Amino acid sequence: MITIFGSINMDLIATTDRLPKPGETVAGNSFSTAAGGKGANQALAARRAGATVRLSGAVGNDGFAEPALALLDAAGTDLSTTRRVSEPTGTALILVGGDGENMIAVVPGANGTNTAEHATAAVAALNPGDTLMLQFEIPVAAVETALISAKAKGVRTVLNLAPLIPEAARLGRLADIVIANETEFERLAGQDNMSAAERETALVRLHAETGQTLIVTLGGDGVIAIRDGEVSRAKGLVIEPVDTVGAGDTFCGYFAASLDQGMDFHASLRRAAVAGSLACLKAGAQPSIPVASEVEERL
């Protein structure tokens, strides 16, 4: 069983030939909306990977609430602990350039109403051996309480260090498994502009200090990780990305689901890396998350 305590958004997505520089206006090519939010994306990814998933979070009583939850509901996600509040549903404003790179501004809205008390309630429904996954699109106090409460209960915790916040390094030490991209890992390690060799050295050093499982996603170069003193690597697919929005969330959801389903660590990394690659082949956030059969065909 996986519980994801995190954000639920509506994504407002515009595509351009290239991303604008500060103060610049560029012409857009298309506009679309998609259900998003890192918590919701990861929940849908884990569900599409075949896991039993509960999403704890909040949406507003506005026109974005139903479409934000529609794909999750259709996939069979347990939404019984998702609250309706007076604040508007969270939104993400996304620009996608012609090379697949993106810029995102997130307005928390209802996601900002998640409190330490809600975190305690989310963990109360979990049993030892279950998995709790978190990100940083809800208030820090809620994330910290959830991590501490889950550890005391024997629940496996997975923390995605995104989006990057000042408290990332401190809170990162509280999780059993940490998933970060290259920039986020540099914050965790306290070192900027790492070379590949420096990254691996830092990975080994941090693991020796904390005993945590540490995973660093490297985009087209796959993933590097360390667990129980052993460094592992896994490759995704060789692709030309259309849109990288949602790729990291797809990786996180598939990885957590694979562990929950009893797969070994390296196989879980590889499956998640392939799923993340496939998520880059279509524009959009949640709709681009592949189903398990699509991933199995490429393994």
Side-chain angles (χ1 to χ4, degrees), residues 164-204:
L164 194 57
I165 62 172
E167 297 88 351
R170 178 177 66 84
L171 294 178
R173 297 292 182 113
L174 302 178
D176 297 316
I177 300 171
V178 175
I179 302 175
N181 65 20
E182 295 163 89
T183 302
E184 293 154 1
F185 180 71
E186 288 179 354
R187 173 66 63 85
L188 188 68
Q191 181 179 345
D192 295 330
N193 302 314
M194 289 183 180
S195 66
E198 289 172 333
R199 185 185 304 116
E200 183 168 346
T201 298
L203 198 69
V204 172

PDB file of all heavy atoms in Angstrom, residues 164-204:
ATOM      1  N   LEU A 164      12.742  22.429  -5.198  1.00  0.00           N
ATOM      2  CA  LEU A 164      13.819  22.693  -4.255  1.00  0.00           C
ATOM      3  C   LEU A 164      13.454  23.833  -3.313  1.00  0.00           C
ATOM      4  O   LEU A 164      13.033  24.903  -3.745  1.00  0.00           O
ATOM      5  CB  LEU A 164      15.094  23.046  -5.028  1.00  0.00           C
ATOM      6  CG  LEU A 164      16.405  23.028  -4.255  1.00  0.00           C
ATOM      7  CD1 LEU A 164      16.644  21.676  -3.605  1.00  0.00           C
ATOM      8  CD2 LEU A 164      17.554  23.377  -5.195  1.00  0.00           C
ATOM      9  N   ILE A 165      13.611  23.602  -2.008  1.00  0.00           N
ATOM     10  CA  ILE A 165      13.312  24.606  -0.986  1.00  0.00           C
ATOM     11  C   ILE A 165      14.490  24.702  -0.030  1.00  0.00           C
ATOM     12  O   ILE A 165      15.337  23.794   0.041  1.00  0.00           O
ATOM     13  CB  ILE A 165      12.020  24.252  -0.214  1.00  0.00           C
ATOM     14  CG1 ILE A 165      12.192  22.911   0.522  1.00  0.00           C
ATOM     15  CG2 ILE A 165      10.822  24.206  -1.150  1.00  0.00           C
ATOM     16  CD1 ILE A 165      11.035  22.584   1.461  1.00  0.00           C
ATOM     17  N   PRO A 166      14.591  25.787   0.750  1.00  0.00           N
ATOM     18  CA  PRO A 166      15.732  25.948   1.658  1.00  0.00           C
ATOM     19  C   PRO A 166      15.871  24.820   2.673  1.00  0.00           C
ATOM     20  O   PRO A 166      16.983  24.498   3.110  1.00  0.00           O
ATOM     21  CB  PRO A 166      15.434  27.287   2.357  1.00  0.00           C
ATOM     22  CG  PRO A 166      14.602  28.048   1.377  1.00  0.00           C
ATOM     23  CD  PRO A 166      13.754  27.008   0.705  1.00  0.00           C
ATOM     24  N   GLU A 167      14.744  24.215   3.064  1.00  0.00           N
ATOM     25  CA  GLU A 167      14.787  23.158   4.091  1.00  0.00           C
ATOM     26  C   GLU A 167      15.090  21.772   3.527  1.00  0.00           C
ATOM     27  O   GLU A 167      15.062  20.781   4.257  1.00  0.00           O
ATOM     28  CB  GLU A 167      13.439  23.107   4.823  1.00  0.00           C
ATOM     29  CG  GLU A 167      13.081  24.358   5.595  1.00  0.00           C
ATOM     30  CD  GLU A 167      12.347  25.390   4.745  1.00  0.00           C
ATOM     31  OE1 GLU A 167      12.268  25.194   3.509  1.00  0.00           O
ATOM     32  OE2 GLU A 167      11.867  26.375   5.321  1.00  0.00           O
ATOM     33  N   ALA A 168      15.389  21.690   2.235  1.00  0.00           N
ATOM     34  CA  ALA A 168      15.540  20.381   1.588  1.00  0.00           C
ATOM     35  C   ALA A 168      16.614  19.519   2.240  1.00  0.00           C
ATOM     36  O   ALA A 168      16.404  18.324   2.489  1.00  0.00           O
ATOM     37  CB  ALA A 168      15.851  20.564   0.094  1.00  0.00           C
ATOM     38  N   ALA A 169      17.767  20.102   2.528  1.00  0.00           N
ATOM     39  CA  ALA A 169      18.858  19.313   3.096  1.00  0.00           C
ATOM     40  C   ALA A 169      18.492  18.771   4.475  1.00  0.00           C
ATOM     41  O   ALA A 169      18.763  17.611   4.797  1.00  0.00           O
ATOM     42  CB  ALA A 169      20.131  20.154   3.171  1.00  0.00           C
ATOM     43  N   ARG A 170      17.859  19.598   5.289  1.00  0.00           N
ATOM     44  CA  ARG A 170      17.475  19.157   6.639  1.00  0.00           C
ATOM     45  C   ARG A 170      16.402  18.079   6.581  1.00  0.00           C
ATOM     46  O   ARG A 170      16.527  17.030   7.219  1.00  0.00           O
ATOM     47  CB  ARG A 170      16.983  20.356   7.456  1.00  0.00           C
ATOM     48  CG  ARG A 170      16.517  19.990   8.864  1.00  0.00           C
ATOM     49  CD  ARG A 170      16.122  21.222   9.644  1.00  0.00           C
ATOM     50  NE  ARG A 170      14.955  21.881   9.113  1.00  0.00           N
ATOM     51  CZ  ARG A 170      13.688  21.523   9.412  1.00  0.00           C
ATOM     52  NH1 ARG A 170      13.458  20.488  10.215  1.00  0.00           N
ATOM     53  NH2 ARG A 170      12.669  22.180   8.905  1.00  0.00           N
ATOM     54  N   LEU A 171      15.354  18.316   5.829  1.00  0.00           N
ATOM     55  CA  LEU A 171      14.269  17.339   5.760  1.00  0.00           C
ATOM     56  C   LEU A 171      14.695  16.074   5.028  1.00  0.00           C
ATOM     57  O   LEU A 171      14.190  14.987   5.320  1.00  0.00           O
ATOM     58  CB  LEU A 171      13.050  17.960   5.070  1.00  0.00           C
ATOM     59  CG  LEU A 171      12.377  19.110   5.818  1.00  0.00           C
ATOM     60  CD1 LEU A 171      11.214  19.662   5.016  1.00  0.00           C
ATOM     61  CD2 LEU A 171      11.905  18.658   7.193  1.00  0.00           C
ATOM     62  N   GLY A 172      15.629  16.222   4.104  1.00  0.00           N
ATOM     63  CA  GLY A 172      16.108  15.042   3.388  1.00  0.00           C
ATOM     64  C   GLY A 172      16.699  13.991   4.305  1.00  0.00           C
ATOM     65  O   GLY A 172      16.632  12.791   4.016  1.00  0.00           O
ATOM     66  N   ARG A 173      17.256  14.423   5.421  1.00  0.00           N
ATOM     67  CA  ARG A 173      17.874  13.479   6.374  1.00  0.00           C
ATOM     68  C   ARG A 173      16.835  12.636   7.111  1.00  0.00           C
ATOM     69  O   ARG A 173      17.198  11.647   7.771  1.00  0.00           O
ATOM     70  CB  ARG A 173      18.708  14.247   7.399  1.00  0.00           C
ATOM     71  CG  ARG A 173      19.889  15.027   6.828  1.00  0.00           C
ATOM     72  CD  ARG A 173      20.959  14.121   6.288  1.00  0.00           C
ATOM     73  NE  ARG A 173      22.117  14.821   5.773  1.00  0.00           N
ATOM     74  CZ  ARG A 173      23.339  14.773   6.321  1.00  0.00           C
ATOM     75  NH1 ARG A 173      23.543  14.053   7.416  1.00  0.00           N
ATOM     76  NH2 ARG A 173      24.337  15.414   5.766  1.00  0.00           N
ATOM     77  N   LEU A 174      15.565  12.986   7.017  1.00  0.00           N
ATOM     78  CA  LEU A 174      14.530  12.288   7.782  1.00  0.00           C
ATOM     79  C   LEU A 174      13.913  11.103   7.039  1.00  0.00           C
ATOM     80  O   LEU A 174      13.190  10.310   7.641  1.00  0.00           O
ATOM     81  CB  LEU A 174      13.403  13.271   8.156  1.00  0.00           C
ATOM     82  CG  LEU A 174      13.810  14.495   8.980  1.00  0.00           C
ATOM     83  CD1 LEU A 174      12.583  15.383   9.220  1.00  0.00           C
ATOM     84  CD2 LEU A 174      14.437  14.071  10.302  1.00  0.00           C
ATOM     85  N   ALA A 175      14.180  10.971   5.741  1.00  0.00           N
ATOM     86  CA  ALA A 175      13.514   9.954   4.924  1.00  0.00           C
ATOM     87  C   ALA A 175      14.371   8.702   4.784  1.00  0.00           C
ATOM     88  O   ALA A 175      15.597   8.751   4.874  1.00  0.00           O
ATOM     89  CB  ALA A 175      13.198  10.517   3.542  1.00  0.00           C
ATOM     90  N   ASP A 176      13.708   7.579   4.539  1.00  0.00           N
ATOM     91  CA  ASP A 176      14.427   6.330   4.258  1.00  0.00           C
ATOM     92  C   ASP A 176      15.038   6.347   2.870  1.00  0.00           C
ATOM     93  O   ASP A 176      16.155   5.876   2.660  1.00  0.00           O
ATOM     94  CB  ASP A 176      13.474   5.130   4.368  1.00  0.00           C
ATOM     95  CG  ASP A 176      12.905   4.954   5.751  1.00  0.00           C
ATOM     96  OD1 ASP A 176      13.672   5.065   6.727  1.00  0.00           O
ATOM     97  OD2 ASP A 176      11.686   4.723   5.869  1.00  0.00           O
ATOM     98  N   ILE A 177      14.287   6.867   1.906  1.00  0.00           N
ATOM     99  CA  ILE A 177      14.721   6.919   0.513  1.00  0.00           C
ATOM    100  C   ILE A 177      14.552   8.352   0.025  1.00  0.00           C
ATOM    101  O   ILE A 177      13.483   8.945   0.180  1.00  0.00           O
ATOM    102  CB  ILE A 177      13.887   5.972  -0.370  1.00  0.00           C
ATOM    103  CG1 ILE A 177      14.017   4.523   0.123  1.00  0.00           C
ATOM    104  CG2 ILE A 177      14.304   6.077  -1.838  1.00  0.00           C
ATOM    105  CD1 ILE A 177      13.064   3.557  -0.559  1.00  0.00           C
ATOM    106  N   VAL A 178      15.596   8.903  -0.570  1.00  0.00           N
ATOM    107  CA  VAL A 178      15.559  10.257  -1.111  1.00  0.00           C
ATOM    108  C   VAL A 178      15.766  10.190  -2.616  1.00  0.00           C
ATOM    109  O   VAL A 178      16.702   9.546  -3.098  1.00  0.00           O
ATOM    110  CB  VAL A 178      16.643  11.144  -0.470  1.00  0.00           C
ATOM    111  CG1 VAL A 178      16.670  12.521  -1.128  1.00  0.00           C
ATOM    112  CG2 VAL A 178      16.406  11.276   1.032  1.00  0.00           C
ATOM    113  N   ILE A 179      14.877  10.862  -3.357  1.00  0.00           N
ATOM    114  CA  ILE A 179      14.997  10.943  -4.808  1.00  0.00           C
ATOM    115  C   ILE A 179      15.192  12.405  -5.178  1.00  0.00           C
ATOM    116  O   ILE A 179      14.396  13.262  -4.790  1.00  0.00           O
ATOM    117  CB  ILE A 179      13.745  10.388  -5.516  1.00  0.00           C
ATOM    118  CG1 ILE A 179      13.514   8.932  -5.109  1.00  0.00           C
ATOM    119  CG2 ILE A 179      13.890  10.505  -7.036  1.00  0.00           C
ATOM    120  CD1 ILE A 179      12.214   8.339  -5.666  1.00  0.00           C
ATOM    121  N   ALA A 180      16.261  12.699  -5.931  1.00  0.00           N
ATOM    122  CA  ALA A 180      16.587  14.078  -6.289  1.00  0.00           C
ATOM    123  C   ALA A 180      17.118  14.121  -7.716  1.00  0.00           C
ATOM    124  O   ALA A 180      17.685  13.140  -8.205  1.00  0.00           O
ATOM    125  CB  ALA A 180      17.643  14.629  -5.338  1.00  0.00           C
ATOM    126  N   ASN A 181      16.932  15.274  -8.386  1.00  0.00           N
ATOM    127  CA  ASN A 181      17.645  15.459  -9.641  1.00  0.00           C
ATOM    128  C   ASN A 181      19.024  16.021  -9.319  1.00  0.00           C
ATOM    129  O   ASN A 181      19.399  16.182  -8.151  1.00  0.00           O
ATOM    130  CB  ASN A 181      16.845  16.330 -10.620  1.00  0.00           C
ATOM    131  CG  ASN A 181      16.652  17.761 -10.127  1.00  0.00           C
ATOM    132  OD1 ASN A 181      17.379  18.265  -9.262  1.00  0.00           O
ATOM    133  ND2 ASN A 181      15.657  18.429 -10.678  1.00  0.00           N
ATOM    134  N   GLU A 182      19.799  16.345 -10.336  1.00  0.00           N
ATOM    135  CA  GLU A 182      21.185  16.766 -10.103  1.00  0.00           C
ATOM    136  C   GLU A 182      21.268  18.032  -9.257  1.00  0.00           C
ATOM    137  O   GLU A 182      22.086  18.112  -8.324  1.00  0.00           O
ATOM    138  CB  GLU A 182      21.869  16.987 -11.454  1.00  0.00           C
ATOM    139  CG  GLU A 182      22.006  15.705 -12.269  1.00  0.00           C
ATOM    140  CD  GLU A 182      22.287  15.993 -13.735  1.00  0.00           C
ATOM    141  OE1 GLU A 182      23.470  16.113 -14.083  1.00  0.00           O
ATOM    142  OE2 GLU A 182      21.322  16.089 -14.515  1.00  0.00           O
ATOM    143  N   THR A 183      20.444  19.021  -9.552  1.00  0.00           N
ATOM    144  CA  THR A 183      20.472  20.281  -8.807  1.00  0.00           C
ATOM    145  C   THR A 183      20.029  20.075  -7.368  1.00  0.00           C
ATOM    146  O   THR A 183      20.635  20.614  -6.426  1.00  0.00           O
ATOM    147  CB  THR A 183      19.561  21.316  -9.484  1.00  0.00           C
ATOM    148  OG1 THR A 183      19.986  21.506 -10.832  1.00  0.00           O
ATOM    149  CG2 THR A 183      19.603  22.643  -8.747  1.00  0.00           C
ATOM    150  N   GLU A 184      18.986  19.303  -7.178  1.00  0.00           N
ATOM    151  CA  GLU A 184      18.484  19.031  -5.827  1.00  0.00           C
ATOM    152  C   GLU A 184      19.504  18.261  -5.009  1.00  0.00           C
ATOM    153  O   GLU A 184      19.670  18.504  -3.804  1.00  0.00           O
ATOM    154  CB  GLU A 184      17.167  18.261  -5.929  1.00  0.00           C
ATOM    155  CG  GLU A 184      16.048  19.080  -6.537  1.00  0.00           C
ATOM    156  CD  GLU A 184      14.970  18.244  -7.223  1.00  0.00           C
ATOM    157  OE1 GLU A 184      15.058  16.992  -7.219  1.00  0.00           O
ATOM    158  OE2 GLU A 184      14.047  18.846  -7.793  1.00  0.00           O
ATOM    159  N   PHE A 185      20.201  17.335  -5.642  1.00  0.00           N
ATOM    160  CA  PHE A 185      21.217  16.575  -4.917  1.00  0.00           C
ATOM    161  C   PHE A 185      22.376  17.470  -4.495  1.00  0.00           C
ATOM    162  O   PHE A 185      22.944  17.289  -3.407  1.00  0.00           O
ATOM    163  CB  PHE A 185      21.734  15.410  -5.761  1.00  0.00           C
ATOM    164  CG  PHE A 185      22.785  14.600  -5.054  1.00  0.00           C
ATOM    165  CD1 PHE A 185      22.444  13.784  -3.984  1.00  0.00           C
ATOM    166  CD2 PHE A 185      24.120  14.678  -5.438  1.00  0.00           C
ATOM    167  CE1 PHE A 185      23.415  13.060  -3.301  1.00  0.00           C
ATOM    168  CE2 PHE A 185      25.092  13.948  -4.774  1.00  0.00           C
ATOM    169  CZ  PHE A 185      24.739  13.136  -3.700  1.00  0.00           C
ATOM    170  N   GLU A 186      22.736  18.440  -5.322  1.00  0.00           N
ATOM    171  CA  GLU A 186      23.802  19.367  -4.935  1.00  0.00           C
ATOM    172  C   GLU A 186      23.434  20.131  -3.672  1.00  0.00           C
ATOM    173  O   GLU A 186      24.290  20.378  -2.811  1.00  0.00           O
ATOM    174  CB  GLU A 186      24.107  20.325  -6.092  1.00  0.00           C
ATOM    175  CG  GLU A 186      24.824  19.643  -7.255  1.00  0.00           C
ATOM    176  CD  GLU A 186      25.101  20.582  -8.413  1.00  0.00           C
ATOM    177  OE1 GLU A 186      24.630  21.744  -8.368  1.00  0.00           O
ATOM    178  OE2 GLU A 186      25.772  20.156  -9.364  1.00  0.00           O
ATOM    179  N   ARG A 187      22.143  20.505  -3.536  1.00  0.00           N
ATOM    180  CA  ARG A 187      21.704  21.175  -2.306  1.00  0.00           C
ATOM    181  C   ARG A 187      21.836  20.219  -1.119  1.00  0.00           C
ATOM    182  O   ARG A 187      22.283  20.615  -0.035  1.00  0.00           O
ATOM    183  CB  ARG A 187      20.246  21.629  -2.466  1.00  0.00           C
ATOM    184  CG  ARG A 187      19.610  22.197  -1.193  1.00  0.00           C
ATOM    185  CD  ARG A 187      20.235  23.492  -0.734  1.00  0.00           C
ATOM    186  NE  ARG A 187      20.052  24.554  -1.722  1.00  0.00           N
ATOM    187  CZ  ARG A 187      18.971  25.317  -1.803  1.00  0.00           C
ATOM    188  NH1 ARG A 187      17.975  25.158  -0.936  1.00  0.00           N
ATOM    189  NH2 ARG A 187      18.881  26.253  -2.711  1.00  0.00           N
ATOM    190  N   LEU A 188      21.447  18.969  -1.315  1.00  0.00           N
ATOM    191  CA  LEU A 188      21.543  17.981  -0.238  1.00  0.00           C
ATOM    192  C   LEU A 188      22.990  17.779   0.186  1.00  0.00           C
ATOM    193  O   LEU A 188      23.296  17.655   1.370  1.00  0.00           O
ATOM    194  CB  LEU A 188      20.945  16.652  -0.711  1.00  0.00           C
ATOM    195  CG  LEU A 188      20.787  15.550   0.337  1.00  0.00           C
ATOM    196  CD1 LEU A 188      19.723  15.925   1.355  1.00  0.00           C
ATOM    197  CD2 LEU A 188      20.424  14.227  -0.334  1.00  0.00           C
ATOM    198  N   ALA A 189      23.897  17.747  -0.805  1.00  0.00           N
ATOM    199  CA  ALA A 189      25.309  17.484  -0.526  1.00  0.00           C
ATOM    200  C   ALA A 189      26.077  18.736  -0.114  1.00  0.00           C
ATOM    201  O   ALA A 189      27.195  18.638   0.398  1.00  0.00           O
ATOM    202  CB  ALA A 189      25.967  16.867  -1.758  1.00  0.00           C
ATOM    203  N   GLY A 190      25.484  19.933  -0.358  1.00  0.00           N
ATOM    204  CA  GLY A 190      26.162  21.173  -0.010  1.00  0.00           C
ATOM    205  C   GLY A 190      27.301  21.531  -0.926  1.00  0.00           C
ATOM    206  O   GLY A 190      28.291  22.144  -0.504  1.00  0.00           O
ATOM    207  N   GLN A 191      27.192  21.163  -2.211  1.00  0.00           N
ATOM    208  CA  GLN A 191      28.255  21.442  -3.182  1.00  0.00           C
ATOM    209  C   GLN A 191      27.622  21.744  -4.534  1.00  0.00           C
ATOM    210  O   GLN A 191      26.771  20.992  -5.011  1.00  0.00           O
ATOM    211  CB  GLN A 191      29.199  20.238  -3.299  1.00  0.00           C
ATOM    212  CG  GLN A 191      30.353  20.440  -4.279  1.00  0.00           C
ATOM    213  CD  GLN A 191      31.262  19.226  -4.338  1.00  0.00           C
ATOM    214  OE1 GLN A 191      31.198  18.349  -3.468  1.00  0.00           O
ATOM    215  NE2 GLN A 191      32.105  19.167  -5.349  1.00  0.00           N
ATOM    216  N   ASP A 192      28.071  22.819  -5.177  1.00  0.00           N
ATOM    217  CA  ASP A 192      27.512  23.212  -6.468  1.00  0.00           C
ATOM    218  C   ASP A 192      28.366  22.715  -7.625  1.00  0.00           C
ATOM    219  O   ASP A 192      29.568  22.442  -7.478  1.00  0.00           O
ATOM    220  CB  ASP A 192      27.401  24.739  -6.561  1.00  0.00           C
ATOM    221  CG  ASP A 192      26.415  25.304  -5.556  1.00  0.00           C
ATOM    222  OD1 ASP A 192      25.451  24.589  -5.219  1.00  0.00           O
ATOM    223  OD2 ASP A 192      26.615  26.450  -5.119  1.00  0.00           O
ATOM    224  N   ASN A 193      27.733  22.604  -8.795  1.00  0.00           N
ATOM    225  CA  ASN A 193      28.432  22.319 -10.062  1.00  0.00           C
ATOM    226  C   ASN A 193      29.313  21.078  -9.980  1.00  0.00           C
ATOM    227  O   ASN A 193      30.499  21.094 -10.335  1.00  0.00           O
ATOM    228  CB  ASN A 193      29.273  23.535 -10.477  1.00  0.00           C
ATOM    229  CG  ASN A 193      28.440  24.783 -10.635  1.00  0.00           C
ATOM    230  OD1 ASN A 193      27.376  24.756 -11.249  1.00  0.00           O
ATOM    231  ND2 ASN A 193      28.912  25.888 -10.067  1.00  0.00           N
ATOM    232  N   MET A 194      28.731  19.996  -9.520  1.00  0.00           N
ATOM    233  CA  MET A 194      29.481  18.752  -9.379  1.00  0.00           C
ATOM    234  C   MET A 194      29.771  18.106 -10.730  1.00  0.00           C
ATOM    235  O   MET A 194      28.927  18.096 -11.631  1.00  0.00           O
ATOM    236  CB  MET A 194      28.677  17.741  -8.557  1.00  0.00           C
ATOM    237  CG  MET A 194      28.546  18.050  -7.099  1.00  0.00           C
ATOM    238  SD  MET A 194      27.645  16.705  -6.273  1.00  0.00           S
ATOM    239  CE  MET A 194      27.636  17.300  -4.593  1.00  0.00           C
ATOM    240  N   SER A 195      30.946  17.538 -10.854  1.00  0.00           N
ATOM    241  CA  SER A 195      31.232  16.642 -11.967  1.00  0.00           C
ATOM    242  C   SER A 195      30.627  15.278 -11.645  1.00  0.00           C
ATOM    243  O   SER A 195      30.170  15.026 -10.520  1.00  0.00           O
ATOM    244  CB  SER A 195      32.741  16.485 -12.156  1.00  0.00           C
ATOM    245  OG  SER A 195      33.309  15.830 -11.030  1.00  0.00           O
ATOM    246  N   ALA A 196      30.607  14.379 -12.618  1.00  0.00           N
ATOM    247  CA  ALA A 196      30.067  13.039 -12.381  1.00  0.00           C
ATOM    248  C   ALA A 196      30.838  12.326 -11.273  1.00  0.00           C
ATOM    249  O   ALA A 196      30.249  11.655 -10.422  1.00  0.00           O
ATOM    250  CB  ALA A 196      30.099  12.230 -13.674  1.00  0.00           C
ATOM    251  N   ALA A 197      32.152  12.474 -11.279  1.00  0.00           N
ATOM    252  CA  ALA A 197      32.971  11.823 -10.251  1.00  0.00           C
ATOM    253  C   ALA A 197      32.694  12.413  -8.877  1.00  0.00           C
ATOM    254  O   ALA A 197      32.598  11.695  -7.875  1.00  0.00           O
ATOM    255  CB  ALA A 197      34.444  11.956 -10.602  1.00  0.00           C
ATOM    256  N   GLU A 198      32.558  13.740  -8.812  1.00  0.00           N
ATOM    257  CA  GLU A 198      32.260  14.391  -7.534  1.00  0.00           C
ATOM    258  C   GLU A 198      30.889  13.987  -7.028  1.00  0.00           C
ATOM    259  O   GLU A 198      30.695  13.810  -5.816  1.00  0.00           O
ATOM    260  CB  GLU A 198      32.334  15.906  -7.706  1.00  0.00           C
ATOM    261  CG  GLU A 198      33.738  16.431  -7.891  1.00  0.00           C
ATOM    262  CD  GLU A 198      33.766  17.903  -8.255  1.00  0.00           C
ATOM    263  OE1 GLU A 198      32.778  18.385  -8.857  1.00  0.00           O
ATOM    264  OE2 GLU A 198      34.765  18.571  -7.949  1.00  0.00           O
ATOM    265  N   ARG A 199      29.932  13.824  -7.940  1.00  0.00           N
ATOM    266  CA  ARG A 199      28.581  13.402  -7.541  1.00  0.00           C
ATOM    267  C   ARG A 199      28.616  12.025  -6.902  1.00  0.00           C
ATOM    268  O   ARG A 199      27.994  11.791  -5.860  1.00  0.00           O
ATOM    269  CB  ARG A 199      27.648  13.408  -8.742  1.00  0.00           C
ATOM    270  CG  ARG A 199      26.191  13.102  -8.379  1.00  0.00           C
ATOM    271  CD  ARG A 199      25.332  13.007  -9.625  1.00  0.00           C
ATOM    272  NE  ARG A 199      25.425  14.215 -10.437  1.00  0.00           N
ATOM    273  CZ  ARG A 199      25.919  14.258 -11.667  1.00  0.00           C
ATOM    274  NH1 ARG A 199      26.350  13.156 -12.246  1.00  0.00           N
ATOM    275  NH2 ARG A 199      25.961  15.384 -12.327  1.00  0.00           N
ATOM    276  N   GLU A 200      29.330  11.103  -7.511  1.00  0.00           N
ATOM    277  CA  GLU A 200      29.395   9.751  -6.954  1.00  0.00           C
ATOM    278  C   GLU A 200      30.102   9.754  -5.599  1.00  0.00           C
ATOM    279  O   GLU A 200      29.683   9.054  -4.668  1.00  0.00           O
ATOM    280  CB  GLU A 200      30.097   8.806  -7.917  1.00  0.00           C
ATOM    281  CG  GLU A 200      30.129   7.377  -7.413  1.00  0.00           C
ATOM    282  CD  GLU A 200      30.567   6.363  -8.462  1.00  0.00           C
ATOM    283  OE1 GLU A 200      30.596   6.717  -9.658  1.00  0.00           O
ATOM    284  OE2 GLU A 200      30.871   5.220  -8.082  1.00  0.00           O
ATOM    285  N   THR A 201      31.173  10.542  -5.475  1.00  0.00           N
ATOM    286  CA  THR A 201      31.870  10.642  -4.195  1.00  0.00           C
ATOM    287  C   THR A 201      30.937  11.174  -3.106  1.00  0.00           C
ATOM    288  O   THR A 201      30.905  10.668  -1.985  1.00  0.00           O
ATOM    289  CB  THR A 201      33.099  11.559  -4.331  1.00  0.00           C
ATOM    290  OG1 THR A 201      34.011  10.989  -5.267  1.00  0.00           O
ATOM    291  CG2 THR A 201      33.789  11.734  -2.988  1.00  0.00           C
ATOM    292  N   ALA A 202      30.171  12.212  -3.449  1.00  0.00           N
ATOM    293  CA  ALA A 202      29.229  12.781  -2.487  1.00  0.00           C
ATOM    294  C   ALA A 202      28.134  11.792  -2.143  1.00  0.00           C
ATOM    295  O   ALA A 202      27.682  11.718  -0.987  1.00  0.00           O
ATOM    296  CB  ALA A 202      28.631  14.071  -3.052  1.00  0.00           C
ATOM    297  N   LEU A 203      27.696  11.030  -3.126  1.00  0.00           N
ATOM    298  CA  LEU A 203      26.660  10.022  -2.900  1.00  0.00           C
ATOM    299  C   LEU A 203      27.142   8.995  -1.880  1.00  0.00           C
ATOM    300  O   LEU A 203      26.425   8.656  -0.921  1.00  0.00           O
ATOM    301  CB  LEU A 203      26.330   9.348  -4.232  1.00  0.00           C
ATOM    302  CG  LEU A 203      25.024   8.570  -4.356  1.00  0.00           C
ATOM    303  CD1 LEU A 203      23.824   9.500  -4.326  1.00  0.00           C
ATOM    304  CD2 LEU A 203      25.019   7.777  -5.674  1.00  0.00           C
ATOM    305  N   VAL A 204      28.358   8.520  -2.058  1.00  0.00           N
ATOM    306  CA  VAL A 204      28.930   7.527  -1.138  1.00  0.00           C
ATOM    307  C   VAL A 204      29.120   8.129   0.255  1.00  0.00           C
ATOM    308  O   VAL A 204      28.827   7.497   1.278  1.00  0.00           O
ATOM    309  CB  VAL A 204      30.267   6.993  -1.696  1.00  0.00           C
ATOM    310  CG1 VAL A 204      30.974   6.119  -0.661  1.00  0.00           C
ATOM    311  CG2 VAL A 204      30.034   6.210  -2.982  1.00  0.00           C
TER     312      VAL A 204
END
